[in-house]
Amino acid sequence: MAEITTSATASGAKPSVRAALLAALVISAVTLGIATFELSMADWPSGFVLLVLVPLAALTFIGCGLWSMTLLLQIRPHGVKFAAPVLVYALTLATLIYAPLQEIALQRNFAWHRASRERIVARVEAGELKPNVNYNENLIALGDGEANVSAGGNDIVVDRMEKGSYVLFLTSRGLKHTFSGFLHVPAGADPKDFFEFDDKPPSRLVRYDKDWYFVAN
């Protein structure tokens, strides 16, 4: 009798979509996080992590998204709730395609660190901060005493001119001297006159505010 009751209970149990929905939410959140902060993770050594992390996340997202489509077969017998995982993946994909995630991250980065960066610029202009790295006469290692305002070890790049100093706060730093970051220029100066662009103009140049630009080489 007990066996019959157990069998009947098991056969009457309805399939659950909770695990699939939870997996969809976690995978989508991780994918969106990587897409948003990929630029800031591109500096050495985390750039090597991206070489593994991005393809792995992409394959996981695609694979689980395709698998979730099989749950659509459960809608008719068990309800529309089985469409939820597919909907999560579809909304995430639309966000990846149409939302300017990296631009939003850059805007937040600029706003969050602006006060600290402007204070550091003032110290550079006053001569309190000077290049202190032996192998590079344009590099200032801020060290642990300052807020973390520059990628790649919290170093900033300075270029002293007659009209003032160019100060670059890095957001990414690649292996082959590729970089991107927020460049503070002297009042009225041209960001293209920054010494890093002597041989080649910036591949990206976006004005963020007065005397502030986002640049990439």
Side-chain angles (χ1 to χ4, degrees):
M1 184 68 178
E3 291 181 0
I4 296 175
T5 303
T6 303
S7 177
T9 303
S11 62
K14 294 182 179 180
S16 174
V17 74
R18 289 181 181 177
L21 181 58
L22 179 61
L25 291 171
V26 172
I27 292 170
S28 295
V30 171
T31 302
L32 289 174
I34 293 173
T36 301
F37 299 105
E38 180 181 0
L39 183 63
S40 61
M41 294 173 64
D43 60 300
W44 165 267
S46 55
F48 277 106
V49 177
L50 284 181
L51 293 177
V52 177
L53 193 59
V54 171
L56 181 61
L59 289 174
T60 302
F61 180 81
I62 294 171
C64 291
L66 292 175
W67 172 81
S68 71
M69 295 180 70
T70 64
L71 297 176
L72 297 177
L73 299 175
Q74 301 290 336
I75 292 178
R76 188 170 183 178
H78 300 295
V80 73
K81 63 184 179 181
F82 279 86
V86 177
L87 182 60
V88 170
Y89 287 117
L91 290 175
T92 302
L93 182 60
T95 302
L96 290 170
I97 294 173
Y98 297 109
L101 297 178
Q102 289 191 358
E103 186 60 37
I104 293 172
L106 285 174
Q107 290 173 354
R108 292 298 88 207
N109 182 298
F110 180 73
W112 286 337
H113 298 297
R114 180 170 183 172
S116 296
R117 286 169 174 159
E118 289 186 340
R119 177 173 51 80
I120 290 170
V121 169
R123 293 184 64 192
V124 171
E125 292 285 7
E128 295 179 22
L129 291 175
K130 298 179 180 180
N132 57 2
V133 178
N134 293 333
Y135 60 85
N136 192 324
E137 62 181 7
N138 297 101
L139 207 60
I140 296 178
L142 296 176
D144 298 332
E146 289 287 351
N148 190 10
V149 293
S150 188
N154 210 26
D155 299 338
I156 60 174
V157 185
V158 298
D159 183 17
R160 295 184 180 277
M161 308 282 283
E162 289 185 4
K163 61 180 69 177
S165 296
Y166 289 77
V167 184
L168 174 65
F169 298 88
L170 298 164
T171 55
S172 69
R173 190 175 181 179
L175 288 175
K176 296 183 179 180
H177 198 63
T178 57
F179 66 84
S180 64
F182 292 104
L183 178 66
H184 185 275
V185 305
D190 187 345
K192 295 179 182 178
D193 290 337
F194 183 52
F195 81 99
E196 290 282 9
F197 304 131
D198 286 345
D199 298 326
K200 182 181 177 182
S203 62
R204 188 174 179 190
L205 178 60
V206 181
R207 186 177 186 273
Y208 264 66
D209 207 340
K210 184 177 181 293
D211 301 331
W212 279 104
Y213 295 85
F214 179 78
V215 298
N217 68 347

